[in-house]
Amino acid sequence: FFFERPKMTDVFRLSSTDARMSPAVVHGDMIYLSGQVPDMSVLDESDITLQTSQTLAKVDALLAEVGASKSDILSAMLWVKDMKDFAAMNQVWCAWVDPDNKPARACVEAPMAKPGILFEAMIVARRKPSPKSPLDKWGPAVGLLLAGCCVGLLLGRK
């Protein structure tokens, strides 16, 4: 099997009004979301569950925009302003995450970039490739079948 590495020209960046970063970058089949925080226009500085829900809704929307879902998340880095909020944040996370496709995850306490933010999440996910032909979905099975037929033909020759 041959693997062709994506070229840097294969990078797609979601546009944003933020001059510092893109909310999502896609390179090949990999998706990288920048740190996502709750909606700053309606920020409730005392409610970690609301902030976590708002942030995860933003993650859902960004993943959908680049052809993925929370089931495609490979890794999640989570930050909470205060570990006293960990259990409440974790309850929202556990209700949201796909139980059949749990990502690798870390959660640490950290000061946040803006006052009032209690939660931030940075996500790495994969994008499912689109089949190029009807045979692609069987990929290796078709290859093995064809190889077996060729070997059979070679062995059957006199």
Side-chain angles (χ1 to χ4, degrees):
F1 297 96
F2 295 98
F3 175 73
E4 184 177 330
R5 291 181 174 265
K7 299 170 187 68
M8 282 308 288
T9 55
D10 297 335
V11 174
F12 168 75
R13 291 173 173 81
L14 278 183
S15 63
S16 169
T17 57
D18 189 330
R20 300 167 297 144
M21 69 187 93
S22 174
V25 175
V26 179
H27 181 235
D29 292 335
M30 298 300 298
I31 301 165
Y32 304 90
L33 299 188
S34 62
Q36 299 301 308
V37 295
D39 184 349
M40 298 300 292
S41 66
V42 292
L43 189 65
D44 182 338
E45 297 182 19
S46 65
D47 191 347
I48 187 75
T49 57
L50 178 61
Q51 287 198 19
T52 303
S53 295
Q54 287 177 342
T55 303
L56 296 177
K58 288 171 76 174
V59 167
D60 280 331
L62 283 170
L63 289 173
E65 196 168 340
V66 294
S69 73
K70 63 185 169 189
S71 299
D72 300 308
I73 296 174
L74 302 173
S75 175
M77 182 67 198
L78 310 178
W79 292 272
V80 292
K81 184 174 183 176
D82 191 324
M83 274 300 184
K84 73 175 176 48
D85 291 327
F86 178 81
M89 176 281 301
N90 208 41
Q91 189 172 21
V92 175
W93 172 269
C94 290
W96 175 80
V97 75
D98 179 349
D100 295 327
N101 295 289
K102 296 175 279 201
R105 186 190 102 163
C107 180
V108 297
E109 180 181 75
M112 298 295 166
K114 293 185 180 177
I117 296 176
L118 305 175
F119 177 77
E120 183 169 350
M122 189 169 70
I123 303 294
V124 176
R126 69 173 183 112
R127 186 167 60 170
K128 295 177 194 123
S130 309
K132 295 176 188 114
S133 79
L135 295 179
D136 282 353
K137 64 183 174 182
W138 294 299
V142 171
L144 288 173
L145 178 65
L146 291 174
C149 290
C150 291
V151 169
L153 288 172
L154 289 173
L155 292 176
R157 295 177 83 186
K158 294 191 180 192

